[in-house]
């Protein structure tokens, strides 16, 4: 069977900026027959995520991420529909997902590696299982619950950097649902800031490209910052940490401003910021959602309930066509999208 697939064409270099040309679309084939325990699937949606930048390097810098290999098919979160099955728990027409879905139009996969999806849980919006009701939503929810120490009625202020991104836009809303009394986002355009406030219920948002971030934080968080959901690192995080309260908490989700730099993860803080962190007893522990998969099922059901009730607003940037996945990746790394970046492969 003839298919199309996307392979890693070149590496941007440890300190390089990824471009669409780092990926290559090519024609390939898969077997015509399905073996016992396998299924043939048609790919519907693929997820494009910031962590994938690390997989473009020969050394990902992480013990849980494997590098993509040159001229080999890339992979990540994906959703598809079963077209043929020789697996006892999967039937033709089932919708399934995996964290290691190959970037190709169709594939033969081990049925045990797939999770069956229930479209009704997300009002039929299957792509949500790659975002708000998937690993992105789980990262936001479990990050807040496990590392944020949010307590209803405690009058806590949360700041979210990268707040218009896939995880940040959910984290601010979940912080509110979990009990934060004030939520402030940091994003890179006036449009994004407007969406955060008017659509997603943030109390305020700062365009970090305009004005003094530290000054705006002091004005918008007069009682200091109790919880910081950190997606970006760098100068923005330094400004937030400087205004965090005693015994406050950093949820170390991502460091996208540092992904094109050859630095360890998590990147070390500047000496003056590290001093503040230690003196104020601010927790800054690495958070990896995969360590909390025992809580996945209950957490996904909670996310789906909030979606169904309209309490969790979801934004997606959908790009049509497998051929455009490299451009979608480049756009995401440049901060060009709002919400989750999804590639629709076939309808």
């Amino acid at each position: 069977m003839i298919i199309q697939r996307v392979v890693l064409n070149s590496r941007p270099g440890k300190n390089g900026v990824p471009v669409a040309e780092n990926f290559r679309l090519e024609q390939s084939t898969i077997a015509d027959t399905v073996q016992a325990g396998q299924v043939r699937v048609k790919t519907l949606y693929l997820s494009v995520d910031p962590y994938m930048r690390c997989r473009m390097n020969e050394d990902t810098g992480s013990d849980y991420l494997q590098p993509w290999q040159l001229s080999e098919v890339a992979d990540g979160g994906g959703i598809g529909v079963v077209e043929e099955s020789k697996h006892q728990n999967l039937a033709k027409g089932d919708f399934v997902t995996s964290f290691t879905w190959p970037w190709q139009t169709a594939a033969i996969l081990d049925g045990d590696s797939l999770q069956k999806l229930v479209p009704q849980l997300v009002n039929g919006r299957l792509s949500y299982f790659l975002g708000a009701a998937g690993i992105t939503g789980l990262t936001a929810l479990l990050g807040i619950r496990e590392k944020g120490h949010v307590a209803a009625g405690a009058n806590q202020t949360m700041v979210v950097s990268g707040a218009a991104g896939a995880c940040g836009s959910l984290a601010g809303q979940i912080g509110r649902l979990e009990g934060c009394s004030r939520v402030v986002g940091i994003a890179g355009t006036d449009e994004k800031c407007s969406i955060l406030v008017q659509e997603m219920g943030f109390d305020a948002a700062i365009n970090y490209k305009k004005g003094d971030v530290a000054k705006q934080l002091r004005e918008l968080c007069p009682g200091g910052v109790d919880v910081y959901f950190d997606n970006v690192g760098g100068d923005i995080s330094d400004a937030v940490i400087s205004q965090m309260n005693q015994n406050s908490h950093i949820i170390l989700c991502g460091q996208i401003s540092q992904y094109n730099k050859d630095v360890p993860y998590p990147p070390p803080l500047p000496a003056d910021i590290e001093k503040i962190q230690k003196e104020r007893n601010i927790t800054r522990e690495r958070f990896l959602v995969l360590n909390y998969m025992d809580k996945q099922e209950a957490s996904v059901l909670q996310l789906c309930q909030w979606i169904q009730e309209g309490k969790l607003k979801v934004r997606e940037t959908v790009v049509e066509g497998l051929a455009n996945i490299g451009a979608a990746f480049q756009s995401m790394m440049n901060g060009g999208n709002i919400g989750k970046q999804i590639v629709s492969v076939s309808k």
Side-chain angles (χ1 to χ4, degrees), residues 24-312:
R24 182 177 77 246
L25 180 71
E26 62 181 28
Q27 188 170 286
S28 187
T29 60
I30 59 173
D32 292 325
T33 57
V34 176
Q35 304 299 318
Q38 294 181 329
V39 296
R40 189 180 80 246
V41 294
K42 179 173 74 172
T43 303
L44 299 178
Y45 299 103
L46 294 171
S47 176
V48 181
D49 301 286
Y51 82 87
M52 292 174 170
R53 172 63 185 86
C54 303
R55 301 192 67 189
M56 299 180 81
N57 297 335
E58 288 185 80
D59 178 5
T60 66
S62 169
D63 53 4
Y64 66 90
L65 287 179
Q66 295 299 312
W68 287 327
Q69 299 301 318
L70 288 172
S71 296
E72 296 292 333
V73 66
D75 68 300
I79 290 172
V81 60
V82 176
E83 294 192 312
E84 183 182 352
S85 175
K86 288 188 178 179
H87 188 277
Q88 60 181 357
N89 296 327
L90 297 172
K92 182 178 180 179
D94 284 346
F95 295 105
V96 291
T97 187
S98 167
F99 293 139
T100 56
W101 198 284
W103 285 10
Q104 53 193 53
T105 51
I108 293 177
L109 303 174
D110 179 355
D112 287 341
S113 71
L114 302 172
Q115 181 180 357
K116 192 186 298 188
L117 299 174
V118 182
Q120 292 84 351
L121 289 175
V122 287
N123 301 323
R125 297 291 296 270
L126 275 172
S127 58
Y128 283 10
F129 284 115
L130 293 178
I135 198 72
T136 309
L138 287 171
T139 299
L141 176 58
L142 291 172
I144 288 168
R145 287 185 171 176
E146 300 297 328
K147 300 294 184 181
H149 303 276
V150 173
N155 196 34
Q156 291 165 298
T157 293
M158 172 186 279
V159 170
V160 183
S161 58
C167 197
S169 60
L170 298 172
Q173 297 178 76
I174 292 170
R176 171 83 74 201
L177 290 166
E178 290 289 283
C180 285
S181 60
R182 185 165 181 78
V183 179
V184 176
I186 303 174
T189 69
D190 289 342
E191 179 194 9
K192 290 178 179 180
C193 290
S194 178
I195 288 170
L196 291 174
V197 175
Q198 296 180 15
E199 186 177 312
M200 297 183 173
F202 284 61
D203 292 285
I206 295 168
N207 181 348
Y208 71 86
K209 294 180 181 178
K210 288 186 174 181
D212 185 329
V213 172
K215 180 175 182 292
Q216 293 177 78
L217 279 170
R218 285 192 293 272
E219 294 170 352
L220 295 172
C221 306
V225 178
D226 302 294
V227 185
Y228 173 38
F229 200 100
D230 185 4
N231 286 303
V232 302
D235 294 342
I236 290 174
S237 290
D238 296 346
V240 178
I241 294 169
S242 296
Q243 296 182 50
M244 295 188 73
N245 293 324
Q246 194 74 24
N247 302 318
S248 54
H249 305 283
I250 299 169
I251 302 163
L252 193 59
C253 177
Q255 302 281 278
I256 194 169
S257 72
Q258 308 298 301
Y259 286 169
N260 292 329
K261 301 176 182 178
D262 185 14
V263 294
Y265 187 86
L269 296 171
D272 56 332
I273 303 300
E274 185 177 16
K275 181 180 179 182
I276 290 172
Q277 181 208 345
K278 290 180 177 179
E279 288 178 347
R280 298 181 191 173
N281 193 34
I282 302 169
T283 63
R284 184 181 183 255
E285 300 166 348
R286 185 174 185 175
F287 172 72
L288 179 59
V289 70
L290 298 178
N291 291 337
Y292 301 92
M293 285 296 99
D294 59 317
K295 301 181 180 181
Q296 176 185 8
E297 185 175 353
S299 298
V300 167
L301 290 175
Q302 174 66 86
L303 292 163
C304 290
Q305 180 181 335
W306 282 335
I307 291 169
Q308 290 175 339
E309 293 172 348
K311 294 179 179 178
L312 196 60

